[in-house]
Amino acid sequence: MLKAAWSEHGPAIDARSDLRTWLRLKCFKDVHRTMYVATASGKKDYDWPHLAMRYWPERVDAKCRQDPSLGVAHGSFWAYHPARAWAWELRLQDEIAPDFRIEEAPYHGDGGDREHRAAYLAEHWEDALAAITKEVLRRRRKKKAPQPELTLLEPGLWSKHPAECWQLELDIIAKQSADFHLRAPDEPATRAAFEQSHPELVAERETLLMELTPIDGLMFGDIDEAVCDEAEDSP
């Protein structure tokens, strides 16, 4: 803030003490003008800054719907690309931390990542289970070893679709020739009830496990390449 000193001719500016402040303000103004002109062009490379969303929200929002990377930049990844958000959340739980989540604040009045994650798992549960299978295969190839389990942070898939979760485990067991369990907060109770209701399926699983032939670790990089490559696509 410029300092004013009073004299017989009225207020006067102490230029020596505030020259530095004036230069900072002018520099900021020039940078702001440059960014404004750049983002006004509408090119993808200039739609990343929040400044672009501030001045051209409709244009940037439309591009966020088309481009997942812009959705990540502006906090609408879950809103417009929930399948990719789910797949990458699973992957980053392996590469960053088991409790990692792609968290986003409310976007245009919605409920943020929690609302969209819950809706995706409820409405597109088959796709969610398919993404889990792909992630297990990716981890298996990466580590050149069977994956004993994958743990979900969210409940719902087991309690609402126990037969499909059970079948997912069997499919992965067959692919990696080793036992596998899909863990989740609602898995223990649901699994116990499912096994009690379907003893014949438990017997079939035990037979399958007894007949497995271990796969050489060196072979893990050669099988299911197409599935694993698809799972590793960038957002």
Side-chain angles (χ1 to χ4, degrees):
M1 181 176 180
L2 297 179
K3 298 178 181 178
W6 288 88
S7 68
E8 60 180 356
H9 301 294
I13 300 298
D14 185 354
R16 291 181 302 174
S17 63
D18 292 296
L19 177 60
R20 193 175 305 169
T21 300
W22 181 83
L23 289 174
R24 284 201 301 267
L25 292 174
K26 184 178 185 303
C27 179
F28 174 79
K29 182 179 179 180
D30 292 342
V31 171
H32 189 275
R33 183 188 300 112
T34 300
M35 293 185 65
Y36 182 91
V37 172
T39 54
S41 67
K43 295 181 179 179
K44 173 186 174 181
D45 292 344
Y46 298 133
D47 280 331
W48 287 75
H50 290 178
L51 181 68
M53 178 65 82
R54 176 180 177 184
Y55 287 111
W56 297 279
E58 293 183 0
R59 184 194 80 199
V60 176
D61 180 73
K63 291 190 175 182
C64 287
R65 295 173 183 266
Q66 301 172 357
D67 190 334
S69 61
L70 287 177
V72 172
H74 293 289
S76 59
F77 193 30
W78 271 108
Y80 297 144
H81 309 278
R84 284 180 179 252
W86 173 249
W88 272 88
E89 190 168 77
L90 293 175
R91 174 168 181 169
L92 295 177
Q93 286 169 1
D94 174 54
E95 298 186 350
I96 295 179
D99 60 348
F100 177 85
R101 281 188 173 96
I102 298 177
E103 298 180 342
E104 293 180 328
Y107 181 78
H108 290 186
D110 64 16
D113 65 283
R114 293 186 179 183
E115 175 183 304
H116 294 296
R117 185 187 295 104
Y120 177 73
L121 295 179
E123 299 169 9
H124 303 279
W125 59 269
E126 291 177 306
D127 295 335
L129 290 176
I132 292 171
T133 298
K134 291 180 181 180
E135 174 58 20
V136 174
L137 299 181
R138 186 198 68 81
R139 297 183 187 186
R140 182 192 65 178
R141 186 180 69 167
K142 172 186 174 183
K143 301 175 182 179
K144 297 188 183 333
Q147 299 301 294
E149 63 183 25
L150 184 147
T151 301
L152 302 177
L153 300 179
E154 282 72 32
L157 289 176
W158 259 108
S159 56
K160 295 179 180 178
H161 311 285
E164 289 75 12
C165 290
W166 180 270
Q167 185 59 48
L168 178 149
E169 292 184 338
L170 295 180
D171 293 341
I172 293 178
I173 289 172
K175 287 180 179 293
Q176 68 176 9
S177 289
D179 200 6
F180 173 80
H181 290 85
L182 177 63
R183 307 297 188 187
D186 56 343
E187 173 257 337
T190 305
R191 182 188 298 276
F194 183 83
E195 291 181 346
Q196 185 175 6
S197 301
H198 302 280
E200 73 284 0
L201 297 181
V202 176
E204 291 178 5
R205 178 170 179 148
E206 293 175 351
T207 301
L208 173 63
L209 291 173
M210 292 177 59
E211 296 176 349
L212 290 178
T213 301
I215 298 178
D216 188 342
L218 296 177
M219 296 176 59
F220 281 109
D222 301 326
I223 54 182
D224 297 317
E225 289 288 340
V227 174
C228 292
D229 288 342
E230 184 179 350
E232 292 183 349
D233 287 344
S234 62

